[in-house]
Amino acid sequence: MRPSPRLLLSATQQLSGRGFQGPLKVGGYVNGLVIRDNAKRLKVAEAEDRRRALKYITYNTELPLKARLMAQLELTNMHLHTRPTAVRNRCTSAGRSRGVFREFRLCRFQFRQQALAGDIPGVRKASW
Amino acid sequence: MARASEKLAASTKPTSSPIQPHRELTTMLGPPARSRLLELAKTSCAVFSTTFNPTCKRTGNKILRQRLNGASIADYYLPRSRIITIPDMRRRWNQYVQTKEAKALGIDPEEYEFVDEDEMRRLEAVEYKKSRGKGAPKKKKEKVVERGKKRK
């Protein structure tokens, strides 16, 4: 069940074209960090049920202590890319990690440019 | 205690207004018994279909109650196949126009070509600049002599 440790390697290979791993899955602006983040997201979605079940066992004080400890250990031993906190919202058209509006999935500068160009429906510059 | 308070309540029951504030009633009658309260909680749980947990044990139910958000996490970036831009369509169309299929349908590739107007405009501007002698400089063929070390 543990994700492959070669995850990162395959992501960088995809970007550089060495060792073809199938078509690139991410569209929009693509760089290594975006691919890495996307790979993390896929792993998180894959391991979500398992993580949730293990978390439930550890949190349940009704269950025997040993089972809870085992579940906790299992949780900590899972690959770090299955952690939902490891994913980071990145700008879909610039790849920036900071100043990203969640609603538009764009960083502040891209948002401004696209909004001024009229590419974002329902958004226009305020003036009063 | 309870009985004494009941008696007291019976003796000092005001007759003027039938409705009394709730707080006064409880102070007069004393608080309800714990077993009664528990029973109330139990029936309320049965009625509203919630779990009866009087000792507040941590059963981890809050983990199960949370929504599964893996699908939405995985769906953040746009998949490559979903984005079709105008340049993509232009490229595909211009490829199609060159095929035998299109010729069989009587599509003339010269006439039906999807022209990139921006690119045309740019090339025209470049030509115009060149004609005025304002074009880009030619590349040097000789190797540029390297300078000495910049800094120590």
mmCIF file with all atom_site columns, all heavy atoms in Angstrom, chain A residues 48-69:
data_model
loop_
_atom_site.group_PDB
_atom_site.id
_atom_site.type_symbol
_atom_site.label_atom_id
_atom_site.label_alt_id
_atom_site.label_comp_id
_atom_site.label_asym_id
_atom_site.label_entity_id
_atom_site.label_seq_id
_atom_site.pdbx_PDB_ins_code
_atom_site.Cartn_x
_atom_site.Cartn_y
_atom_site.Cartn_z
_atom_site.occupancy
_atom_site.B_iso_or_equiv
_atom_site.pdbx_formal_charge
_atom_site.auth_seq_id
_atom_site.auth_comp_id
_atom_site.auth_asym_id
_atom_site.auth_atom_id
_atom_site.pdbx_PDB_model_num
ATOM 1   N N   . GLU A 1 48 ? -6.505  8.035  1.257  1.00 0.00 ? 48 GLU A N   1
ATOM 2   C CA  . GLU A 1 48 ? -7.371  8.744  2.192  1.00 0.00 ? 48 GLU A CA  1
ATOM 3   C C   . GLU A 1 48 ? -8.174  7.801  3.092  1.00 0.00 ? 48 GLU A C   1
ATOM 4   O O   . GLU A 1 48 ? -8.222  7.974  4.309  1.00 0.00 ? 48 GLU A O   1
ATOM 5   C CB  . GLU A 1 48 ? -8.318  9.649  1.418  1.00 0.00 ? 48 GLU A CB  1
ATOM 6   C CG  . GLU A 1 48 ? -9.061  10.587 2.332  1.00 0.00 ? 48 GLU A CG  1
ATOM 7   C CD  . GLU A 1 48 ? -10.130 11.344 1.620  1.00 0.00 ? 48 GLU A CD  1
ATOM 8   O OE1 . GLU A 1 48 ? -10.596 10.863 0.577  1.00 0.00 ? 48 GLU A OE1 1
ATOM 9   O OE2 . GLU A 1 48 ? -10.509 12.401 2.135  1.00 0.00 ? 48 GLU A OE2 1
ATOM 10  N N   . ASP A 1 49 ? -8.792  6.785  2.487  1.00 0.00 ? 49 ASP A N   1
ATOM 11  C CA  . ASP A 1 49 ? -9.635  5.869  3.257  1.00 0.00 ? 49 ASP A CA  1
ATOM 12  C C   . ASP A 1 49 ? -8.834  5.187  4.358  1.00 0.00 ? 49 ASP A C   1
ATOM 13  O O   . ASP A 1 49 ? -9.269  5.094  5.508  1.00 0.00 ? 49 ASP A O   1
ATOM 14  C CB  . ASP A 1 49 ? -10.227 4.801  2.337  1.00 0.00 ? 49 ASP A CB  1
ATOM 15  C CG  . ASP A 1 49 ? -11.172 5.415  1.328  1.00 0.00 ? 49 ASP A CG  1
ATOM 16  O OD1 . ASP A 1 49 ? -11.597 6.550  1.565  1.00 0.00 ? 49 ASP A OD1 1
ATOM 17  O OD2 . ASP A 1 49 ? -11.453 4.761  0.315  1.00 0.00 ? 49 ASP A OD2 1
ATOM 18  N N   . ARG A 1 50 ? -7.661  4.745  3.961  1.00 0.00 ? 50 ARG A N   1
ATOM 19  C CA  . ARG A 1 50 ? -6.806  4.031  4.913  1.00 0.00 ? 50 ARG A CA  1
ATOM 20  C C   . ARG A 1 50 ? -6.410  4.936  6.072  1.00 0.00 ? 50 ARG A C   1
ATOM 21  O O   . ARG A 1 50 ? -6.494  4.572  7.239  1.00 0.00 ? 50 ARG A O   1
ATOM 22  C CB  . ARG A 1 50 ? -5.568  3.524  4.181  1.00 0.00 ? 50 ARG A CB  1
ATOM 23  C CG  . ARG A 1 50 ? -4.753  2.548  4.977  1.00 0.00 ? 50 ARG A CG  1
ATOM 24  C CD  . ARG A 1 50 ? -3.586  2.023  4.181  1.00 0.00 ? 50 ARG A CD  1
ATOM 25  N NE  . ARG A 1 50 ? -2.697  1.272  5.017  1.00 0.00 ? 50 ARG A NE  1
ATOM 26  C CZ  . ARG A 1 50 ? -2.936  0.048  5.442  1.00 0.00 ? 50 ARG A CZ  1
ATOM 27  N NH1 . ARG A 1 50 ? -4.029  -0.565 5.091  1.00 0.00 ? 50 ARG A NH1 1
ATOM 28  N NH2 . ARG A 1 50 ? -2.076  -0.571 6.226  1.00 0.00 ? 50 ARG A NH2 1
ATOM 29  N N   . ARG A 1 51 ? -5.991  6.138  5.735  1.00 0.00 ? 51 ARG A N   1
ATOM 30  C CA  . ARG A 1 51 ? -5.586  7.083  6.775  1.00 0.00 ? 51 ARG A CA  1
ATOM 31  C C   . ARG A 1 51 ? -6.753  7.382  7.709  1.00 0.00 ? 51 ARG A C   1
ATOM 32  O O   . ARG A 1 51 ? -6.591  7.463  8.929  1.00 0.00 ? 51 ARG A O   1
ATOM 33  C CB  . ARG A 1 51 ? -5.106  8.391  6.136  1.00 0.00 ? 51 ARG A CB  1
ATOM 34  C CG  . ARG A 1 51 ? -3.737  8.324  5.545  1.00 0.00 ? 51 ARG A CG  1
ATOM 35  C CD  . ARG A 1 51 ? -3.230  9.719  5.292  1.00 0.00 ? 51 ARG A CD  1
ATOM 36  N NE  . ARG A 1 51 ? -2.706  10.313 6.507  1.00 0.00 ? 51 ARG A NE  1
ATOM 37  C CZ  . ARG A 1 51 ? -1.439  10.236 6.883  1.00 0.00 ? 51 ARG A CZ  1
ATOM 38  N NH1 . ARG A 1 51 ? -0.563  9.625  6.142  1.00 0.00 ? 51 ARG A NH1 1
ATOM 39  N NH2 . ARG A 1 51 ? -1.042  10.775 8.015  1.00 0.00 ? 51 ARG A NH2 1
ATOM 40  N N   . ARG A 1 52 ? -7.926  7.564  7.130  1.00 0.00 ? 52 ARG A N   1
ATOM 41  C CA  . ARG A 1 52 ? -9.098  7.898  7.929  1.00 0.00 ? 52 ARG A CA  1
ATOM 42  C C   . ARG A 1 52 ? -9.434  6.760  8.888  1.00 0.00 ? 52 ARG A C   1
ATOM 43  O O   . ARG A 1 52 ? -9.726  6.980  10.068 1.00 0.00 ? 52 ARG A O   1
ATOM 44  C CB  . ARG A 1 52 ? -10.264 8.190  6.987  1.00 0.00 ? 52 ARG A CB  1
ATOM 45  C CG  . ARG A 1 52 ? -11.442 8.891  7.575  1.00 0.00 ? 52 ARG A CG  1
ATOM 46  C CD  . ARG A 1 52 ? -11.123 10.222 8.172  1.00 0.00 ? 52 ARG A CD  1
ATOM 47  N NE  . ARG A 1 52 ? -10.844 11.285 7.226  1.00 0.00 ? 52 ARG A NE  1
ATOM 48  C CZ  . ARG A 1 52 ? -11.772 11.951 6.552  1.00 0.00 ? 52 ARG A CZ  1
ATOM 49  N NH1 . ARG A 1 52 ? -13.018 11.693 6.714  1.00 0.00 ? 52 ARG A NH1 1
ATOM 50  N NH2 . ARG A 1 52 ? -11.431 12.921 5.743  1.00 0.00 ? 52 ARG A NH2 1
ATOM 51  N N   . ALA A 1 53 ? -9.351  5.530  8.411  1.00 0.00 ? 53 ALA A N   1
ATOM 52  C CA  . ALA A 1 53 ? -9.655  4.377  9.244  1.00 0.00 ? 53 ALA A CA  1
ATOM 53  C C   . ALA A 1 53 ? -8.655  4.256  10.395 1.00 0.00 ? 53 ALA A C   1
ATOM 54  O O   . ALA A 1 53 ? -9.033  4.058  11.559 1.00 0.00 ? 53 ALA A O   1
ATOM 55  C CB  . ALA A 1 53 ? -9.632  3.118  8.396  1.00 0.00 ? 53 ALA A CB  1
ATOM 56  N N   . LEU A 1 54 ? -7.379  4.448  10.064 1.00 0.00 ? 54 LEU A N   1
ATOM 57  C CA  . LEU A 1 54 ? -6.339  4.349  11.098 1.00 0.00 ? 54 LEU A CA  1
ATOM 58  C C   . LEU A 1 54 ? -6.516  5.449  12.139 1.00 0.00 ? 54 LEU A C   1
ATOM 59  O O   . LEU A 1 54 ? -6.347  5.224  13.346 1.00 0.00 ? 54 LEU A O   1
ATOM 60  C CB  . LEU A 1 54 ? -4.959  4.450  10.460 1.00 0.00 ? 54 LEU A CB  1
ATOM 61  C CG  . LEU A 1 54 ? -4.523  3.235  9.655  1.00 0.00 ? 54 LEU A CG  1
ATOM 62  C CD1 . LEU A 1 54 ? -3.267  3.540  8.874  1.00 0.00 ? 54 LEU A CD1 1
ATOM 63  C CD2 . LEU A 1 54 ? -4.303  2.037  10.556 1.00 0.00 ? 54 LEU A CD2 1
ATOM 64  N N   . LYS A 1 55 ? -6.872  6.620  11.674 1.00 0.00 ? 55 LYS A N   1
ATOM 65  C CA  . LYS A 1 55 ? -7.073  7.738  12.581 1.00 0.00 ? 55 LYS A CA  1
ATOM 66  C C   . LYS A 1 55 ? -8.248  7.453  13.521 1.00 0.00 ? 55 LYS A C   1
ATOM 67  O O   . LYS A 1 55 ? -8.194  7.756  14.712 1.00 0.00 ? 55 LYS A O   1
ATOM 68  C CB  . LYS A 1 55 ? -7.333  8.999  11.762 1.00 0.00 ? 55 LYS A CB  1
ATOM 69  C CG  . LYS A 1 55 ? -6.983  10.269 12.505 1.00 0.00 ? 55 LYS A CG  1
ATOM 70  C CD  . LYS A 1 55 ? -7.076  11.447 11.582 1.00 0.00 ? 55 LYS A CD  1
ATOM 71  C CE  . LYS A 1 55 ? -6.808  12.723 12.355 1.00 0.00 ? 55 LYS A CE  1
ATOM 72  N NZ  . LYS A 1 55 ? -7.039  13.903 11.544 1.00 0.00 ? 55 LYS A NZ  1
ATOM 73  N N   . TYR A 1 56 ? -9.282  6.853  12.949 1.00 0.00 ? 56 TYR A N   1
ATOM 74  C CA  . TYR A 1 56 ? -10.447 6.509  13.767 1.00 0.00 ? 56 TYR A CA  1
ATOM 75  C C   . TYR A 1 56 ? -10.052 5.534  14.864 1.00 0.00 ? 56 TYR A C   1
ATOM 76  O O   . TYR A 1 56 ? -10.450 5.682  16.029 1.00 0.00 ? 56 TYR A O   1
ATOM 77  C CB  . TYR A 1 56 ? -11.538 5.902  12.876 1.00 0.00 ? 56 TYR A CB  1
ATOM 78  C CG  . TYR A 1 56 ? -12.674 5.283  13.654 1.00 0.00 ? 56 TYR A CG  1
ATOM 79  C CD1 . TYR A 1 56 ? -13.540 6.087  14.382 1.00 0.00 ? 56 TYR A CD1 1
ATOM 80  C CD2 . TYR A 1 56 ? -12.860 3.912  13.675 1.00 0.00 ? 56 TYR A CD2 1
ATOM 81  C CE1 . TYR A 1 56 ? -14.573 5.548  15.106 1.00 0.00 ? 56 TYR A CE1 1
ATOM 82  C CE2 . TYR A 1 56 ? -13.891 3.353  14.396 1.00 0.00 ? 56 TYR A CE2 1
ATOM 83  C CZ  . TYR A 1 56 ? -14.748 4.178  15.107 1.00 0.00 ? 56 TYR A CZ  1
ATOM 84  O OH  . TYR A 1 56 ? -15.761 3.632  15.823 1.00 0.00 ? 56 TYR A OH  1
ATOM 85  N N   . ILE A 1 57 ? -9.238  4.546  14.521 1.00 0.00 ? 57 ILE A N   1
ATOM 86  C CA  . ILE A 1 57 ? -8.821  3.553  15.518 1.00 0.00 ? 57 ILE A CA  1
ATOM 87  C C   . ILE A 1 57 ? -8.003  4.222  16.616 1.00 0.00 ? 57 ILE A C   1
ATOM 88  O O   . ILE A 1 57 ? -8.192  3.960  17.798 1.00 0.00 ? 57 ILE A O   1
ATOM 89  C CB  . ILE A 1 57 ? -8.022  2.423  14.843 1.00 0.00 ? 57 ILE A CB  1
ATOM 90  C CG1 . ILE A 1 57 ? -8.925  1.641  13.890 1.00 0.00 ? 57 ILE A CG1 1
ATOM 91  C CG2 . ILE A 1 57 ? -7.437  1.475  15.878 1.00 0.00 ? 57 ILE A CG2 1
ATOM 92  C CD1 . ILE A 1 57 ? -8.182  0.694  12.983 1.00 0.00 ? 57 ILE A CD1 1
ATOM 93  N N   . THR A 1 58 ? -7.107  5.125  16.242 1.00 0.00 ? 58 THR A N   1
ATOM 94  C CA  . THR A 1 58 ? -6.278  5.760  17.267 1.00 0.00 ? 58 THR A CA  1
ATOM 95  C C   . THR A 1 58 ? -7.086  6.683  18.166 1.00 0.00 ? 58 THR A C   1
ATOM 96  O O   . THR A 1 58 ? -6.791  6.816  19.351 1.00 0.00 ? 58 THR A O   1
ATOM 97  C CB  . THR A 1 58 ? -5.143  6.591  16.643 1.00 0.00 ? 58 THR A CB  1
ATOM 98  O OG1 . THR A 1 58 ? -5.707  7.428  15.657 1.00 0.00 ? 58 THR A OG1 1
ATOM 99  C CG2 . THR A 1 58 ? -4.086  5.725  16.034 1.00 0.00 ? 58 THR A CG2 1
ATOM 100 N N   . TYR A 1 59 ? -8.097  7.291  17.607 1.00 0.00 ? 59 TYR A N   1
ATOM 101 C CA  . TYR A 1 59 ? -8.889  8.234  18.394 1.00 0.00 ? 59 TYR A CA  1
ATOM 102 C C   . TYR A 1 59 ? -9.912  7.552  19.283 1.00 0.00 ? 59 TYR A C   1
ATOM 103 O O   . TYR A 1 59 ? -10.432 8.160  20.208 1.00 0.00 ? 59 TYR A O   1
ATOM 104 C CB  . TYR A 1 59 ? -9.607  9.221  17.470 1.00 0.00 ? 59 TYR A CB  1
ATOM 105 C CG  . TYR A 1 59 ? -8.799  10.436 17.106 1.00 0.00 ? 59 TYR A CG  1
ATOM 106 C CD1 . TYR A 1 59 ? -7.554  10.284 16.528 1.00 0.00 ? 59 TYR A CD1 1
ATOM 107 C CD2 . TYR A 1 59 ? -9.271  11.707 17.352 1.00 0.00 ? 59 TYR A CD2 1
ATOM 108 C CE1 . TYR A 1 59 ? -6.790  11.384 16.192 1.00 0.00 ? 59 TYR A CE1 1
ATOM 109 C CE2 . TYR A 1 59 ? -8.518  12.819 17.014 1.00 0.00 ? 59 TYR A CE2 1
ATOM 110 C CZ  . TYR A 1 59 ? -7.285  12.641 16.430 1.00 0.00 ? 59 TYR A CZ  1
ATOM 111 O OH  . TYR A 1 59 ? -6.541  13.735 16.095 1.00 0.00 ? 59 TYR A OH  1
ATOM 112 N N   . ASN A 1 60 ? -10.229 6.292  18.991 1.00 0.00 ? 60 ASN A N   1
ATOM 113 C CA  . ASN A 1 60 ? -11.300 5.614  19.713 1.00 0.00 ? 60 ASN A CA  1
ATOM 114 C C   . ASN A 1 60 ? -10.782 5.023  21.018 1.00 0.00 ? 60 ASN A C   1
ATOM 115 O O   . ASN A 1 60 ? -10.018 4.050  21.023 1.00 0.00 ? 60 ASN A O   1
ATOM 116 C CB  . ASN A 1 60 ? -11.874 4.509  18.827 1.00 0.00 ? 60 ASN A CB  1
ATOM 117 C CG  . ASN A 1 60 ? -13.204 4.012  19.345 1.00 0.00 ? 60 ASN A CG  1
ATOM 118 O OD1 . ASN A 1 60 ? -13.560 4.280  20.479 1.00 0.00 ? 60 ASN A OD1 1
ATOM 119 N ND2 . ASN A 1 60 ? -13.913 3.297  18.508 1.00 0.00 ? 60 ASN A ND2 1
ATOM 120 N N   . THR A 1 61 ? -11.202 5.612  22.149 1.00 0.00 ? 61 THR A N   1
ATOM 121 C CA  . THR A 1 61 ? -10.703 5.145  23.439 1.00 0.00 ? 61 THR A CA  1
ATOM 122 C C   . THR A 1 61 ? -11.371 3.851  23.883 1.00 0.00 ? 61 THR A C   1
ATOM 123 O O   . THR A 1 61 ? -10.961 3.257  24.868 1.00 0.00 ? 61 THR A O   1
ATOM 124 C CB  . THR A 1 61 ? -10.928 6.218  24.530 1.00 0.00 ? 61 THR A CB  1
ATOM 125 O OG1 . THR A 1 61 ? -12.282 6.652  24.447 1.00 0.00 ? 61 THR A OG1 1
ATOM 126 C CG2 . THR A 1 61 ? -10.005 7.379  24.351 1.00 0.00 ? 61 THR A CG2 1
ATOM 127 N N   . GLU A 1 62 ? -12.393 3.424  23.185 1.00 0.00 ? 62 GLU A N   1
ATOM 128 C CA  . GLU A 1 62 ? -13.089 2.179  23.522 1.00 0.00 ? 62 GLU A CA  1
ATOM 129 C C   . GLU A 1 62 ? -12.258 0.957  23.110 1.00 0.00 ? 62 GLU A C   1
ATOM 130 O O   . GLU A 1 62 ? -12.403 -0.110 23.676 1.00 0.00 ? 62 GLU A O   1
ATOM 131 C CB  . GLU A 1 62 ? -14.440 2.122  22.806 1.00 0.00 ? 62 GLU A CB  1
ATOM 132 C CG  . GLU A 1 62 ? -15.332 3.298  23.086 1.00 0.00 ? 62 GLU A CG  1
ATOM 133 C CD  . GLU A 1 62 ? -16.078 3.146  24.378 1.00 0.00 ? 62 GLU A CD  1
ATOM 134 O OE1 . GLU A 1 62 ? -17.098 2.471  24.391 1.00 0.00 ? 62 GLU A OE1 1
ATOM 135 O OE2 . GLU A 1 62 ? -15.609 3.710  25.400 1.00 0.00 ? 62 GLU A OE2 1
ATOM 136 N N   . LEU A 1 63 ? -11.424 1.147  22.093 1.00 0.00 ? 63 LEU A N   1
ATOM 137 C CA  . LEU A 1 63 ? -10.666 0.017  21.548 1.00 0.00 ? 63 LEU A CA  1
ATOM 138 C C   . LEU A 1 63 ? -9.458  -0.292 22.419 1.00 0.00 ? 63 LEU A C   1
ATOM 139 O O   . LEU A 1 63 ? -9.001  0.568  23.186 1.00 0.00 ? 63 LEU A O   1
ATOM 140 C CB  . LEU A 1 63 ? -10.203 0.357  20.124 1.00 0.00 ? 63 LEU A CB  1
ATOM 141 C CG  . LEU A 1 63 ? -11.325 0.479  19.102 1.00 0.00 ? 63 LEU A CG  1
ATOM 142 C CD1 . LEU A 1 63 ? -10.777 0.963  17.785 1.00 0.00 ? 63 LEU A CD1 1
ATOM 143 C CD2 . LEU A 1 63 ? -12.045 -0.838 18.929 1.00 0.00 ? 63 LEU A CD2 1
ATOM 144 N N   . PRO A 1 64 ? -8.948  -1.532 22.360 1.00 0.00 ? 64 PRO A N   1
ATOM 145 C CA  . PRO A 1 64 ? -7.773  -1.881 23.167 1.00 0.00 ? 64 PRO A CA  1
ATOM 146 C C   . PRO A 1 64 ? -6.564  -1.019 22.821 1.00 0.00 ? 64 PRO A C   1
ATOM 147 O O   . PRO A 1 64 ? -6.387  -0.620 21.672 1.00 0.00 ? 64 PRO A O   1
ATOM 148 C CB  . PRO A 1 64 ? -7.514  -3.346 22.821 1.00 0.00 ? 64 PRO A CB  1
ATOM 149 C CG  . PRO A 1 64 ? -8.329  -3.622 21.623 1.00 0.00 ? 64 PRO A CG  1
ATOM 150 C CD  . PRO A 1 64 ? -9.480  -2.698 21.660 1.00 0.00 ? 64 PRO A CD  1
ATOM 151 N N   . LEU A 1 65 ? -5.779  -0.764 23.841 1.00 0.00 ? 65 LEU A N   1
ATOM 152 C CA  . LEU A 1 65 ? -4.660  0.169  23.714 1.00 0.00 ? 65 LEU A CA  1
ATOM 153 C C   . LEU A 1 65 ? -3.662  -0.284 22.659 1.00 0.00 ? 65 LEU A C   1
ATOM 154 O O   . LEU A 1 65 ? -3.102  0.524  21.922 1.00 0.00 ? 65 LEU A O   1
ATOM 155 C CB  . LEU A 1 65 ? -3.965  0.300  25.071 1.00 0.00 ? 65 LEU A CB  1
ATOM 156 C CG  . LEU A 1 65 ? -3.014  1.481  25.222 1.00 0.00 ? 65 LEU A CG  1
ATOM 157 C CD1 . LEU A 1 65 ? -3.765  2.777  25.094 1.00 0.00 ? 65 LEU A CD1 1
ATOM 158 C CD2 . LEU A 1 65 ? -2.290  1.408  26.547 1.00 0.00 ? 65 LEU A CD2 1
ATOM 159 N N   . LYS A 1 66 ? -3.488  -1.607 22.584 1.00 0.00 ? 66 LYS A N   1
ATOM 160 C CA  . LYS A 1 66 ? -2.486  -2.120 21.650 1.00 0.00 ? 66 LYS A CA  1
ATOM 161 C C   . LYS A 1 66 ? -2.889  -1.818 20.208 1.00 0.00 ? 66 LYS A C   1
ATOM 162 O O   . LYS A 1 66 ? -2.062  -1.385 19.394 1.00 0.00 ? 66 LYS A O   1
ATOM 163 C CB  . LYS A 1 66 ? -2.322  -3.623 21.844 1.00 0.00 ? 66 LYS A CB  1
ATOM 164 C CG  . LYS A 1 66 ? -1.075  -4.147 21.173 1.00 0.00 ? 66 LYS A CG  1
ATOM 165 C CD  . LYS A 1 66 ? -0.940  -5.633 21.276 1.00 0.00 ? 66 LYS A CD  1
ATOM 166 C CE  . LYS A 1 66 ? 0.256   -6.082 20.441 1.00 0.00 ? 66 LYS A CE  1
ATOM 167 N NZ  . LYS A 1 66 ? 0.339   -7.534 20.366 1.00 0.00 ? 66 LYS A NZ  1
ATOM 168 N N   . ALA A 1 67 ? -4.178  -2.033 19.935 1.00 0.00 ? 67 ALA A N   1
ATOM 169 C CA  . ALA A 1 67 ? -4.659  -1.779 18.579 1.00 0.00 ? 67 ALA A CA  1
ATOM 170 C C   . ALA A 1 67 ? -4.481  -0.308 18.219 1.00 0.00 ? 67 ALA A C   1
ATOM 171 O O   . ALA A 1 67 ? -4.057  0.040  17.107 1.00 0.00 ? 67 ALA A O   1
ATOM 172 C CB  . ALA A 1 67 ? -6.138  -2.156 18.466 1.00 0.00 ? 67 ALA A CB  1
ATOM 173 N N   . ARG A 1 68 ? -4.762  0.550  19.205 1.00 0.00 ? 68 ARG A N   1
ATOM 174 C CA  . ARG A 1 68 ? -4.647  1.983  18.948 1.00 0.00 ? 68 ARG A CA  1
ATOM 175 C C   . ARG A 1 68 ? -3.201  2.372  18.673 1.00 0.00 ? 68 ARG A C   1
ATOM 176 O O   . ARG A 1 68 ? -2.901  3.170  17.790 1.00 0.00 ? 68 ARG A O   1
ATOM 177 C CB  . ARG A 1 68 ? -5.191  2.762  20.135 1.00 0.00 ? 68 ARG A CB  1
ATOM 178 C CG  . ARG A 1 68 ? -6.695  2.617  20.286 1.00 0.00 ? 68 ARG A CG  1
ATOM 179 C CD  . ARG A 1 68 ? -7.190  3.308  21.522 1.00 0.00 ? 68 ARG A CD  1
ATOM 180 N NE  . ARG A 1 68 ? -6.922  4.732  21.508 1.00 0.00 ? 68 ARG A NE  1
ATOM 181 C CZ  . ARG A 1 68 ? -6.894  5.508  22.577 1.00 0.00 ? 68 ARG A CZ  1
ATOM 182 N NH1 . ARG A 1 68 ? -7.131  4.994  23.762 1.00 0.00 ? 68 ARG A NH1 1
ATOM 183 N NH2 . ARG A 1 68 ? -6.637  6.776  22.478 1.00 0.00 ? 68 ARG A NH2 1
ATOM 184 N N   . LEU A 1 69 ? -2.296  1.783  19.467 1.00 0.00 ? 69 LEU A N   1
ATOM 185 C CA  . LEU A 1 69 ? -0.871  2.072  19.272 1.00 0.00 ? 69 LEU A CA  1
ATOM 186 C C   . LEU A 1 69 ? -0.398  1.617  17.903 1.00 0.00 ? 69 LEU A C   1
ATOM 187 O O   . LEU A 1 69 ? 0.338   2.331  17.209 1.00 0.00 ? 69 LEU A O   1
ATOM 188 C CB  . LEU A 1 69 ? -0.054  1.365  20.352 1.00 0.00 ? 69 LEU A CB  1
ATOM 189 C CG  . LEU A 1 69 ? 0.328   2.217  21.557 1.00 0.00 ? 69 LEU A CG  1
ATOM 190 C CD1 . LEU A 1 69 ? 0.990   1.356  22.610 1.00 0.00 ? 69 LEU A CD1 1
ATOM 191 C CD2 . LEU A 1 69 ? 1.250   3.338  21.124 1.00 0.00 ? 69 LEU A CD2 1
#
